[in-house]
Amino acid sequence: MTATQEASHQASKTPTTESPNGRLGGASPVKGVTPNIEVAPVQRRPRNPAPWPLDLYQSAVGKKWVMALSGVGLMGFVFAHMVGNLKMFIPDDGKEFDDYSESLRTLLYPILPNTTFLWIMRIGLICLFAIHLHSAYSLTILNRRARPQQYSQRDYIAASWAARTMRFSGILVIAYLFIHLANLTWGVQALDDHRFVDGRAFHNTVTSLSQPWLAAIYIIRNLALAVHLFHGAWSLFQSLGVNNPRLNPWRKGFAYGFTAIVCGFNISFPILILAGVVTQVPR
Amino acid sequence: MSIQLESGAPGGPIQDSWDTYRFDTALVNPNNKRRFELLVVGTGLAGAAAAASLAQLGYQVKAFTFHDSPRRAHSIAAQGGINAAKNYKNDGDSVYRLFYDTVKGGDFRARERNVYRLAQVSVNIIDQCVAQGVPFAREYGGLLDNRSFGGAQVSRTFYARGQTGQQLLLGAYSALMEQVAKGTVTLFPKAEMLDVVTKDGRACGIITRNLQTGSIESHSGHAVLLCTGGYSNVFYLSTNAMNCNVTAAWRAHRKGAAFANPCFTQIHPTCIPASDEFQSKLTLMSESLRNDGRIWVPRDPDDKRPARQVPEPERDYFLERRYPAFGNLVPRDIASRAAKREVDSGHGVGQLGNGVYLDFSEAIGRLGEAVVRERYGNLFEMYERITDESPYQTPMRIYPAPHYAMGGLWVDYSLMTTVPGLYALGEANFSDHGANRLGASALMQGLADGYFVIPYTVGSYLSTLLGQAAVPTTDPVFAEARASVTSEVDRWLSTKGTHSVDHYHRELGKIMWENCGMARNRVGLEKAITELPQLREDFRNNVRVLGQNESVNQSLEKVARVDDFFELGELMCRDALHREESCGGHFREEHQTDEGEAKRDDEHFAYVGAWEWSGHGEPQVLHQEPLEFDYVKLTQRSYK
Amino acid sequence: MNVTVRVWRQEDAGSAGRFETHQLDDISADMSFLEMLDVLNERLIEAGREPVAFDSDCREGICGTCGLMINGQAHGPAEATATCQLHMRKFSEGDTITIEPWRAAAFPIMRDLIVDRSPLDAVIEAGGFISADTGGAPDANLIPVPKTVSDAAMDAAACIGCGACVAACPNSAGQLFTSAKLAHLNLVPQGQAQRWERTIDMVETMEAFFGSCTNYGECEKACPKGISIDFIAYMNRDFVKAKMKNRKLIGQKFP
């Protein structure tokens, strides 16, 4: 092909327009319309906004806010759970421990029928878990859409391993939760060597955690929880917008301290049981 | 065709000129405003401000930028600040003083009435920017802080850290984006203007090329505003951004707009010298460094010792020696030429011998490192990042670099070029800085033109077009212009040469810098005038532009710009050759005092030299607009 | 010095991309990273091959046009440095340097290393301004702005809009960019009147194009201006507040 031929070929290909439309003109997606730009949005908001607070929850920032709040609730739960369990250190053959666990069932009794308040708390917890999971799930979907192609090589500078594995540590924690419930609340026989006795929490705990494989799962689960809390307990401040230069240095300290206390004690339970420090008087 | 260079500024007392103009101008009825379509090319300070302000008035505006976003224009790189005659410091500043300083600083080559208007509206600019949320530096009481800048004797410079240009541009950009959201401005990013379309001698539209798709598009409007910046990149190495170019202004020039004072280019004294052949641009460091730094070279040209080991008596503080009164704070052009003289005489420092020292050791001794760090820390950091040398330990190396173009399209008092309906704003026009721009005045002029001048002046032209629709893009004049742009694109793609565009740009830059840079002489300029057409011929036949039109093709973008730079370069040399005097940024070695200072010739050259296009390869025709100085007395600048 | 560059080549948004490897000899350590790419392009053109398309303009770290993923880090290994301010002395003899474009659904690749960042403009268009039509402004010193506030606003306003925060974020979130602009305008007194509408409009537009924040902090480290993720917290708070405010009472509860 000669140069002139190519030139004429080129000329015919050159698109010319008489009065094209500009980009970017027009309304923003806020009003339910996508701006006139060539980039496709990864998320469209519904045309008619839902009533508050669902409207807030429809936004990613709102979801993070809800995730952080439910996280605070769940942190409260793991903390209280850990504190209650400390009673196993009282060398009274689990009497205090059993009384404490029994008291959870009779909480606010006789104002409410027995175990009612326990169920209210349980339902609250289930809701927290559900909301925490749902926001995590839907944000993950959004984030996947926002980054369809990964880099061939990635060198993280700030993102800790804990932060990047929140989804997995979270799933591990949830998965163990069912084992834990089956083992110590529902008393599924296969998990506890047929020794589960309803109402004898201390006995159940000690006998099940003296099995090394259950203790190992318990420890692994707490390590996952530690990893999850390590990032989550700091991250929540950002998501809730709690930001004050005077307090900021304490936010990470709080996260590390909280993680260390909750998971440190939690992990000490099976270890001390296996070591025979926490034990039942043989009957 | 004969060009009439009438400024059109109202007579009478200069203080009333602008008011008189505004009152005498016919207004456009709000209902009629929305029938007028205005094309704004360029979205820097002048362009974004103009597009936003005109849209607020109710005009239909189309804004074009060749960047991916209006926020990227090179106005963003201005560091120092913006002048305004607010007199917040109670130190004797006034509109009149700012006017006086600007005319005098411009070495008496600017139009008095334009400059006075600039000084008048400068105060409104600050109000406007603050209302937009520009985070200017504040004092502890919450009021605005000012500093003295570029040797001014009053503190009238407003600043936002070292990023004043950025903050002002972002302010104008946000105002523009607000109008885009309202639908009053249609924004065309990635659209480079390649031609102005005229019909019956009036500007009626533009041709653009979409840098992403290559599509050649026509846009019609009642008036066209060029806000396309300066042309310092004709030197290849300059402090301008890589993509700054003269193309839009040059295409307008080829369509009949006179190009005024092209040889008035400003060289900024404090830039980091080039380190090798592949240096792509030069980095400017704020002039404020000269407040505390001392400039010197070794007395002995063969002294190759590291700076710290050169003992005090063997150092030549040449600015302090030559200008005892102002010392290191002499104006930009004088400091630049002094540095050039040292380097030319072999005293240059650094590996390539292309710099002079700017030494802070005395300041560190006097003020302590902490104070110096507070004042200049970010600049020192920037310097260290580029050169890997710490200015705390060794002196900086600096050298002048092309920085700003005072010349540009000739405009009258209403900012209209010699083509009716075609306006030029900001650095693209020639107007207010004369032969030398003062520090912190570029931002002021760009915003003045965009926010406060064009919204009034454009009406006087539009009011003559009432009831007329814009020339439709189906008109043959558009088809013709489109065809010529298309054939130009095809021409470059079919050249099939051997050298890259950058190769020729570098060669062009060398010729320009050597012969039409800081100091010019007849021999050099004549040499350049013969060399440039030859190099251009070579360029047009042997440049290699690969790829195609229909996708991003950066060589294709550059090649047309460099082609225009060739023609501009030639005109600059012609202008510099004809101007047999030295003034401001234009220094002719033949015209200097015995002490080597610039010698102006007010008797013969107190005029604006505006050049009229007369076809490719033909020398342009000079027209003169005489300058009268009724208020500022003509004096020789002296900084001794 | 001699280096090997692995550079991403892609015709346009629609086509598939690939890496191309080039050996580059005799590079000066004083060159900037982009000058190294200039040299590569010069050599490619001499060899009759199409140059690598990459964006850059001011080359002094302020316009925000440039931006490359270099060895898996946005803007490369130097902290608080834009690509154009990165110098080859940060690399060692014989290094292999991988260069990729910003990757995000919001930033389609236009060619090679150039991406379309117009969603950033869309966020500004949605509300990144203080409505102050030309001419109506009161005297600049009428409203004093405490220096600390003005300084904090300037910290945020330093954003150059390069998109590195989006590129560095594993979720391609635009939070640092949006929050920087939002904080700048929401902090100054002049920005109070539109504060809550602006917050909602900008955040919701951002979310149309970008992922969500997971508080990794990668954006802060990638930011050539070192803008703090504290502004993200500030934005989150303002957004929730904006959703709850009784706007009729705003005048009484001036923050």
Side-chain angles (χ1 to χ4, degrees):
Chain A
M1 188 191 272
T2 67
T4 44
Q5 273 174 328
E6 186 150 322
S8 61
H9 171 64
Q10 202 73 53
S12 62
K13 272 206 304 186
T14 306
T16 62
T17 320
E18 277 172 1
S19 48
N21 296 318
R23 284 168 48 197
L24 270 176
S28 73
V30 183
K31 280 87 192 172
V33 188
T34 310
N36 183 20
I37 65 174
E38 287 161 13
V39 180
V42 291
Q43 176 178 251
R44 278 173 214 277
R45 288 181 72 79
R47 211 163 269 275
N48 301 315
W52 194 89
L54 272 182
D55 166 51
L56 178 65
Y57 189 69
Q58 275 169 352
S59 73
V61 170
K63 284 198 177 80
K64 282 295 287 188
W65 191 70
V66 167
M67 186 192 273
L69 276 186
S70 55
V72 171
L74 294 170
M75 278 167 64
F77 165 68
V78 293
F79 186 76
H81 192 43
M82 180 277 293
V83 170
N85 283 351
L86 287 177
K87 289 191 185 290
M88 76 171 70
F89 291 151
I90 300 171
D92 61 352
D93 196 20
K95 188 173 177 316
E96 280 261 354
F97 192 91
D98 286 347
D99 288 351
Y100 155 69
S101 55
E102 184 56 29
S103 76
L104 289 177
R105 299 185 179 186
T106 58
L107 211 58
L108 288 191
Y109 176 83
I111 299 174
L112 296 172
N114 209 6
T115 75
T116 308
F117 192 72
L118 182 63
W119 274 107
I120 291 174
M121 291 202 296
R122 280 173 174 169
I123 290 167
L125 265 179
I126 290 167
C127 289
L128 286 181
F129 271 112
I131 245 173
H132 202 73
L133 276 170
H134 179 262
S135 52
Y137 170 76
S138 51
L139 288 175
T140 304
I141 298 292
L142 170 67
N143 295 341
R144 292 260 157 88
R145 271 208 302 268
R147 171 61 59 79
Q149 188 175 7
Q150 296 296 327
Y151 293 101
S152 72
Q153 187 184 339
R154 189 74 175 91
D155 186 1
Y156 290 104
I157 312 161
S160 62
W161 181 76
R164 286 184 284 123
T165 52
M166 286 301 270
R167 284 155 206 156
F168 307 105
S169 55
I171 289 168
L172 273 181
V173 170
I174 282 282
Y176 176 78
L177 186 70
F178 288 100
I179 300 178
H180 194 60
L181 285 173
N183 183 15
L184 293 174
T185 305
W186 304 328
V188 175
Q189 300 292 307
L191 284 171
D192 75 336
D193 252 356
H194 307 278
R195 275 175 286 181
F196 180 83
V197 184
D198 189 37
R200 287 188 59 197
F202 185 71
H203 163 81
N204 295 337
T205 306
V206 174
T207 49
S208 73
L209 286 186
S210 12
Q211 304 169 79
W213 69 277
L214 268 179
I217 292 179
Y218 184 92
I219 289 171
I220 290 167
R221 176 267 185 174
N222 266 291
L223 289 174
L225 178 65
V227 168
H228 202 77
L229 282 176
F230 184 78
H231 179 68
W234 167 78
S235 176
L236 70 91
F237 291 105
Q238 280 290 111
S239 299
L240 293 176
V242 179
N243 186 295
N244 182 326
R246 279 186 291 273
L247 305 179
N248 286 356
W250 294 90
R251 299 189 303 181
K252 284 227 154 124
F254 167 77
Y256 301 162
F258 186 85
T259 306
I261 290 171
V262 170
C263 298
F265 279 117
N266 275 355
I267 288 172
S268 75
F269 302 141
I271 290 176
L272 293 178
I273 288 171
L274 281 177
V277 177
V278 173
T279 181
Q280 316 182 61
V281 180
R283 299 170 191 229
Chain B
M1 183 172 74
S2 173
I3 285 182
Q4 292 299 314
L5 300 180
E6 287 291 334
S7 83
I14 196 167
Q15 288 83 349
D16 301 334
S17 232
W18 181 227
D19 285 344
T20 312
Y21 180 93
R22 286 193 293 177
F23 184 72
D24 290 347
T25 298
L27 295 177
V28 181
N29 174 309
N31 289 329
N32 288 328
K33 279 194 179 119
R34 60 170 176 266
R35 302 208 176 102
F36 286 119
E37 290 179 62
L38 305 178
L39 308 181
V40 180
V41 186
T43 54
L45 284 181
S53 302
L54 292 167
Q56 287 158 9
L57 286 174
Y59 294 111
Q60 288 298 322
V61 178
K62 286 183 180 178
F64 301 84
T65 172
F66 68 166
H67 287 110
D68 63 341
S69 160
R71 67 182 294 147
R72 312 232 186 263
H74 198 55
S75 312
I76 207 160
Q79 300 170 355
I82 176 168
N83 285 335
K86 280 282 196 187
N87 193 27
Y88 280 158
K89 290 285 160 187
N90 199 27
D91 57 0
D93 198 11
S94 65
V95 168
Y96 201 89
R97 187 177 295 281
L98 176 55
F99 152 70
Y100 182 92
D101 287 355
T102 306
V103 171
K104 184 179 172 219
D107 225 0
F108 305 95
R109 292 295 174 264
R111 204 184 280 147
E112 271 191 337
R113 279 167 201 271
N114 278 54
V115 178
Y116 195 87
R117 175 180 64 190
L118 175 66
Q120 274 177 310
V121 302
S122 69
V123 295
N124 304 106
I125 295 172
I126 302 303
D127 297 342
Q128 181 61 31
C129 293
V130 167
Q132 287 168 348
V134 170
F136 281 121
R138 302 262 168 183
E139 288 170 346
Y140 282 99
L143 301 182
L144 289 158
D145 191 18
N146 293 127
R147 62 184 175 197
S148 151
F149 193 78
Q153 312 215 317
V154 290
S155 292
R156 63 160 76 100
T157 304
F158 294 78
Y159 64 100
R161 299 218 178 122
Q163 289 130 279
T164 318
Q166 181 200 25
Q167 293 312 313
L168 295 176
L169 179 62
L170 293 184
Y173 156 73
S174 64
L176 172 64
M177 293 313 277
E178 183 188 5
Q179 298 303 318
V180 171
K182 284 182 173 163
T184 50
V185 173
T186 315
L187 183 66
F188 293 84
K190 293 242 164 219
E192 179 167 23
M193 191 204 99
L194 289 178
D195 209 354
V196 173
V197 184
T198 57
K199 187 171 185 180
D200 306 328
R202 286 164 179 262
C204 65
I206 59 169
I207 306 295
T208 59
R209 176 173 177 270
N210 184 313
L211 301 185
Q212 211 159 286
T213 63
S215 98
I216 312 284
E217 301 168 349
S218 305
H219 300 273
S220 77
H222 292 85
V224 177
L225 279 56
L226 299 184
C227 317
T228 51
Y231 51 79
S232 295
N233 266 351
V234 68
F235 295 105
Y236 185 67
L237 281 183
S238 80
T239 68
N240 280 188
M242 301 302 287
N243 297 318
C244 289
N245 65 78
V246 76
T247 290
W250 197 254
R251 303 288 160 107
H253 175 52
R254 293 203 318 222
K255 284 292 172 85
F259 208 99
N261 298 339
C263 76
F264 288 168
T265 50
Q266 187 173 65
I267 312 287
H268 195 285
T270 49
C271 303
I272 303 175
S275 64
D276 57 43
E277 168 84 359
F278 284 99
Q279 185 94 22
S280 57
K281 77 153 274 171
L282 298 171
T283 303
L284 179 151
M285 285 179 308
S286 170
E287 207 165 11
S288 60
L289 287 170
R290 287 199 283 147
N291 289 341
D292 285 307
R294 296 180 73 197
I295 296 175
W296 62 275
V297 290
R299 281 188 194 283
D300 178 7
D302 297 324
D303 194 341
K304 296 290 169 238
R305 286 175 291 181
R308 280 280 165 268
Q309 292 171 21
V310 180
E312 205 57 33
E314 290 174 42
R315 298 177 177 189
D316 178 14
Y317 293 91
F318 54 91
L319 285 179
E320 296 169 25
R321 171 168 58 81
R322 219 172 276 149
Y323 309 98
F326 277 70
N328 294 302
L329 289 173
V330 291
R332 291 176 173 179
D333 51 336
I334 292 176
S336 300
R337 275 198 298 278
K340 177 180 160 61
R341 205 171 328 176
E342 297 304 324
V343 168
D344 287 350
S345 63
H347 289 85
V349 298
Q351 213 143 46
L352 303 177
N354 60 351
V356 298
Y357 287 129
L358 176 62
D359 196 340
F360 284 85
S361 54
E362 190 261 347
I364 291 172
R366 176 164 47 90
L367 304 163
E369 193 174 312
V371 175
V372 172
R373 189 181 297 274
E374 196 196 346
R375 282 190 195 164
Y376 308 109
N378 55 346
L379 292 167
F380 282 19
E381 242 169 65
M382 182 170 86
Y383 181 84
E384 189 168 352
R385 197 175 295 148
I386 292 172
T387 62
D388 209 22
E389 294 169 1
S390 164
Y392 297 104
Q393 266 105 50
T394 64
M396 286 182 172
R397 285 173 295 111
I398 56 163
Y399 197 61
H403 167 57
Y404 186 86
M406 280 75 69
L409 294 173
W410 183 90
V411 291
D412 64 10
Y413 192 65
S414 71
L415 303 182
M416 182 143 73
T417 65
T418 51
V419 177
L422 181 66
Y423 291 80
L425 282 66
E427 194 181 349
N429 73 27
F430 88 103
S431 62
D432 301 343
H433 305 296
N436 177 48
R437 179 174 68 73
L438 293 178
S441 283
L443 300 180
M444 171 173 70
Q445 187 225 339
L447 288 179
D449 287 358
Y451 282 132
F452 295 108
V453 179
I454 199 71
Y456 300 100
T457 61
V458 79
S460 76
Y461 172 73
L462 294 177
S463 59
T464 65
L465 299 179
L466 278 181
Q468 295 180 29
V471 176
T473 51
T474 46
D475 194 280
V477 288
F478 279 98
E480 202 180 304
R482 246 185 351 249
S484 106
V485 169
T486 309
S487 77
E488 190 202 346
V489 167
D490 293 337
R491 185 202 181 286
W492 297 122
L493 287 169
S494 58
T495 300
K496 309 276 180 242
T498 45
H499 292 300
S500 71
V501 181
D502 282 345
H503 166 83
Y504 286 102
H505 195 179
R506 263 197 297 274
E507 296 299 313
L508 164 68
K510 274 183 206 155
I511 295 180
M512 291 304 294
W513 180 241
E514 248 160 60
N515 302 302
C516 199
M518 259 186 286
R520 296 122 185 214
N521 59 51
R522 172 169 290 278
V523 180
L525 289 167
E526 280 172 344
K527 186 168 129 236
I529 291 172
T530 39
E531 278 177 7
L532 284 173
Q534 291 163 8
L535 183 62
R536 177 161 187 255
E537 196 55 31
D538 178 23
F539 162 74
R540 287 178 71 86
N541 294 324
N542 290 317
V543 71
R544 176 178 280 179
V545 180
L546 299 165
Q548 47 170 359
N549 174 53
E550 288 72 22
S551 73
V552 178
N553 188 336
Q554 293 172 317
S555 307
L556 186 60
E557 294 166 23
K558 276 190 270 186
V559 73
R561 296 173 194 165
V562 172
D563 189 40
D564 292 336
F565 275 139
F566 269 107
E567 288 185 331
L568 167 78
E570 207 181 318
L571 180 65
M572 283 170 69
C573 293
R574 264 179 225 293
D575 188 45
L577 184 63
H578 110 279
R579 196 169 271 280
E580 292 279 0
E581 63 161 352
S582 295
C583 63
H586 170 62
F587 185 79
R588 280 287 298 271
E589 285 167 356
E590 297 93 330
H591 304 282
Q592 48 182 317
T593 62
D594 295 338
E595 294 121 351
E597 300 307 330
K599 209 161 84 184
R600 244 179 26 236
D601 180 355
D602 293 326
E603 201 180 320
H604 300 103
F605 291 99
Y607 63 75
V608 176
W611 299 83
E612 181 190 358
W613 178 254
S614 38
H616 289 290
E618 295 291 319
Q620 281 94 332
V621 179
L622 176 69
H623 298 269
Q624 300 177 2
E625 181 203 342
L627 292 170
E628 278 143 30
F629 294 93
D630 303 324
Y631 294 87
V632 186
K633 219 171 83 218
L634 285 159
T635 52
Q636 201 72 36
R637 293 190 304 165
S638 172
Y639 295 94
K640 289 271 173 197
Chain C
M1 59 195 282
N2 307 312
V3 293
T4 307
V5 289
R6 257 178 91 225
V7 59
W8 185 260
R9 304 300 302 260
Q10 184 169 337
E11 292 292 309
D12 51 43
S15 48
R18 66 193 187 284
F19 277 105
E20 214 173 72
T21 306
H22 298 281
Q23 178 70 38
L24 264 178
D25 299 334
D26 301 326
I27 295 291
S28 151
D30 286 330
M31 264 180 199
S32 76
F33 193 81
L34 295 182
E35 281 162 5
M36 181 273 289
L37 287 180
D38 287 341
V39 171
L40 170 66
N41 278 346
E42 194 93 352
R43 292 182 191 173
L44 284 175
I45 293 172
E46 296 284 328
R49 300 173 64 182
E50 283 191 43
V52 180
F54 65 92
D55 253 344
S56 84
D57 198 30
C58 77
R59 296 211 178 178
E60 45 190 272
I62 191 74
C63 73
T65 311
C66 66
L68 301 172
M69 202 71 179
I70 301 165
N71 285 343
Q73 291 186 9
H75 285 308
E79 203 170 315
T81 302
T83 304
C84 62
Q85 296 272 282
L86 177 67
H87 282 72
M88 291 307 291
R89 62 179 82 91
K90 292 274 174 198
F91 299 90
S92 320
E93 172 67 33
D95 274 2
T96 296
I97 305 170
T98 303
I99 309 169
E100 280 181 85
W102 290 164
R103 293 200 190 279
F107 294 168
I109 295 172
M110 295 293 99
R111 187 180 180 85
D112 297 346
L113 303 171
I114 299 180
V115 297
D116 180 351
R117 286 169 288 197
S118 43
L120 298 181
D121 285 324
V123 171
I124 301 296
E125 188 192 330
F129 46 78
I130 291 173
S131 297
D133 282 4
T134 308
D139 186 83
N141 258 348
L142 189 68
I143 306 172
V145 182
K147 184 166 163 42
T148 36
V149 171
S150 167
D151 284 350
M154 184 62 217
D155 287 343
C159 168
I160 60 174
C162 62
C165 43
V166 177
C169 177
N171 308 332
S172 296
Q175 312 260 345
L176 194 61
F177 169 83
T178 310
S179 68
K181 191 72 216 169
L182 195 66
H184 160 210
L185 298 175
N186 282 5
L187 280 168
V188 293
Q190 287 83 0
Q192 297 311 313
Q194 289 163 294
R195 179 172 174 182
W196 309 108
E197 266 113 76
R198 170 190 306 123
T199 307
I200 288 182
D201 289 350
M202 285 180 76
V203 169
E204 292 188 350
T205 306
M206 167 190 85
E207 289 181 353
F209 297 99
F210 300 101
S212 87
C213 179
T214 328
N215 301 320
Y216 291 119
E218 282 294 317
C219 51
E220 181 183 60
K221 291 289 172 200
C223 178
K225 294 290 149 189
I227 291 173
S228 162
I229 54 172
D230 286 356
F231 292 120
I232 298 180
Y234 181 80
M235 174 177 83
N236 291 340
R237 185 175 55 195
D238 261 16
F239 180 74
V240 176
K241 268 193 200 169
K243 284 279 182 191
M244 298 186 183
K245 278 271 176 206
N246 177 354
R247 302 275 167 83
K248 286 178 193 162
L249 297 179
I250 282 174
Q252 300 184 343
K253 293 194 214 166
F254 229 57

